[in-house]
PDB file of all heavy atoms in Angstrom:
ATOM      1  N   LEU F 174       1.696   8.294 -19.648  1.00  0.00           N
ATOM      2  CA  LEU F 174       0.716   8.759 -20.635  1.00  0.00           C
ATOM      3  C   LEU F 174       1.357   9.873 -21.453  1.00  0.00           C
ATOM      4  O   LEU F 174       1.779  10.908 -20.914  1.00  0.00           O
ATOM      5  CB  LEU F 174      -0.533   9.267 -19.914  1.00  0.00           C
ATOM      6  CG  LEU F 174      -1.818   9.334 -20.734  1.00  0.00           C
ATOM      7  CD1 LEU F 174      -2.207   7.941 -21.213  1.00  0.00           C
ATOM      8  CD2 LEU F 174      -2.939   9.931 -19.905  1.00  0.00           C
ATOM      9  N   LEU F 175       1.447   9.659 -22.755  1.00  0.00           N
ATOM     10  CA  LEU F 175       2.109  10.592 -23.666  1.00  0.00           C
ATOM     11  C   LEU F 175       1.140  11.056 -24.747  1.00  0.00           C
ATOM     12  O   LEU F 175       0.241  10.312 -25.142  1.00  0.00           O
ATOM     13  CB  LEU F 175       3.302   9.908 -24.352  1.00  0.00           C
ATOM     14  CG  LEU F 175       4.381   9.303 -23.463  1.00  0.00           C
ATOM     15  CD1 LEU F 175       5.301   8.427 -24.288  1.00  0.00           C
ATOM     16  CD2 LEU F 175       5.161  10.408 -22.766  1.00  0.00           C
ATOM     17  N   GLU F 195      10.649  16.644 -19.053  1.00  0.00           N
ATOM     18  CA  GLU F 195       9.249  16.866 -19.430  1.00  0.00           C
ATOM     19  C   GLU F 195       8.487  17.656 -18.356  1.00  0.00           C
ATOM     20  O   GLU F 195       8.866  17.689 -17.189  1.00  0.00           O
ATOM     21  CB  GLU F 195       8.542  15.519 -19.632  1.00  0.00           C
ATOM     22  CG  GLU F 195       9.140  14.662 -20.719  1.00  0.00           C
ATOM     23  CD  GLU F 195       8.693  15.091 -22.111  1.00  0.00           C
ATOM     24  OE1 GLU F 195       7.757  15.905 -22.210  1.00  0.00           O
ATOM     25  OE2 GLU F 195       9.282  14.594 -23.090  1.00  0.00           O
ATOM     26  N   ARG F 196       7.375  18.275 -18.774  1.00  0.00           N
ATOM     27  CA  ARG F 196       6.409  18.826 -17.815  1.00  0.00           C
ATOM     28  C   ARG F 196       5.468  17.696 -17.396  1.00  0.00           C
ATOM     29  O   ARG F 196       5.098  16.846 -18.222  1.00  0.00           O
ATOM     30  CB  ARG F 196       5.601  19.967 -18.433  1.00  0.00           C
ATOM     31  CG  ARG F 196       6.428  21.182 -18.807  1.00  0.00           C
ATOM     32  CD  ARG F 196       5.507  22.342 -19.174  1.00  0.00           C
ATOM     33  NE  ARG F 196       4.604  21.984 -20.249  1.00  0.00           N
ATOM     34  CZ  ARG F 196       4.819  22.222 -21.531  1.00  0.00           C
ATOM     35  NH1 ARG F 196       5.955  22.821 -21.911  1.00  0.00           N
ATOM     36  NH2 ARG F 196       3.932  21.890 -22.459  1.00  0.00           N
ATOM     37  N   TRP F 197       5.073  17.695 -16.129  1.00  0.00           N
ATOM     38  CA  TRP F 197       4.273  16.587 -15.593  1.00  0.00           C
ATOM     39  C   TRP F 197       2.936  17.072 -15.057  1.00  0.00           C
ATOM     40  O   TRP F 197       2.823  18.179 -14.539  1.00  0.00           O
ATOM     41  CB  TRP F 197       5.033  15.884 -14.460  1.00  0.00           C
ATOM     42  CG  TRP F 197       6.174  15.043 -14.938  1.00  0.00           C
ATOM     43  CD1 TRP F 197       7.440  15.473 -15.228  1.00  0.00           C
ATOM     44  CD2 TRP F 197       6.153  13.646 -15.209  1.00  0.00           C
ATOM     45  NE1 TRP F 197       8.212  14.429 -15.659  1.00  0.00           N
ATOM     46  CE2 TRP F 197       7.450  13.296 -15.652  1.00  0.00           C
ATOM     47  CE3 TRP F 197       5.178  12.654 -15.115  1.00  0.00           C
ATOM     48  CZ2 TRP F 197       7.789  11.995 -16.000  1.00  0.00           C
ATOM     49  CZ3 TRP F 197       5.508  11.350 -15.460  1.00  0.00           C
ATOM     50  CH2 TRP F 197       6.798  11.023 -15.901  1.00  0.00           C
ATOM     51  N   ILE F 198       1.950  16.176 -15.178  1.00  0.00           N
ATOM     52  CA  ILE F 198       0.639  16.370 -14.550  1.00  0.00           C
ATOM     53  C   ILE F 198       0.534  15.324 -13.451  1.00  0.00           C
ATOM     54  O   ILE F 198       0.681  14.123 -13.710  1.00  0.00           O
ATOM     55  CB  ILE F 198      -0.495  16.184 -15.568  1.00  0.00           C
ATOM     56  CG1 ILE F 198      -0.342  17.206 -16.698  1.00  0.00           C
ATOM     57  CG2 ILE F 198      -1.857  16.327 -14.903  1.00  0.00           C
ATOM     58  CD1 ILE F 198      -1.098  16.835 -17.951  1.00  0.00           C
ATOM     59  N   GLY F 240       1.339  18.486 -20.556  1.00  0.00           N
ATOM     60  CA  GLY F 240       2.372  17.707 -19.888  1.00  0.00           C
ATOM     61  C   GLY F 240       2.114  16.228 -20.091  1.00  0.00           C
ATOM     62  O   GLY F 240       1.198  15.833 -20.831  1.00  0.00           O
ATOM     63  N   ILE F 241       2.912  15.392 -19.425  1.00  0.00           N
ATOM     64  CA  ILE F 241       2.723  13.947 -19.454  1.00  0.00           C
ATOM     65  C   ILE F 241       2.341  13.497 -18.055  1.00  0.00           C
ATOM     66  O   ILE F 241       2.440  14.272 -17.101  1.00  0.00           O
ATOM     67  CB  ILE F 241       3.980  13.212 -19.953  1.00  0.00           C
ATOM     68  CG1 ILE F 241       5.147  13.433 -18.977  1.00  0.00           C
ATOM     69  CG2 ILE F 241       4.352  13.689 -21.359  1.00  0.00           C
ATOM     70  CD1 ILE F 241       6.384  12.619 -19.329  1.00  0.00           C
ATOM     71  N   ALA F 242       1.916  12.232 -17.917  1.00  0.00           N
ATOM     72  CA  ALA F 242       1.430  11.781 -16.616  1.00  0.00           C
ATOM     73  C   ALA F 242       1.776  10.315 -16.389  1.00  0.00           C
ATOM     74  O   ALA F 242       1.937   9.546 -17.336  1.00  0.00           O
ATOM     75  CB  ALA F 242      -0.080  11.983 -16.512  1.00  0.00           C
TER      76      ALA F 242
END
Side-chain angles (χ1 to χ4, degrees):
L174 201 62
L175 303 168
E195 299 280 348
R196 296 190 303 265
W197 287 84
I198 300 161
I241 64 174

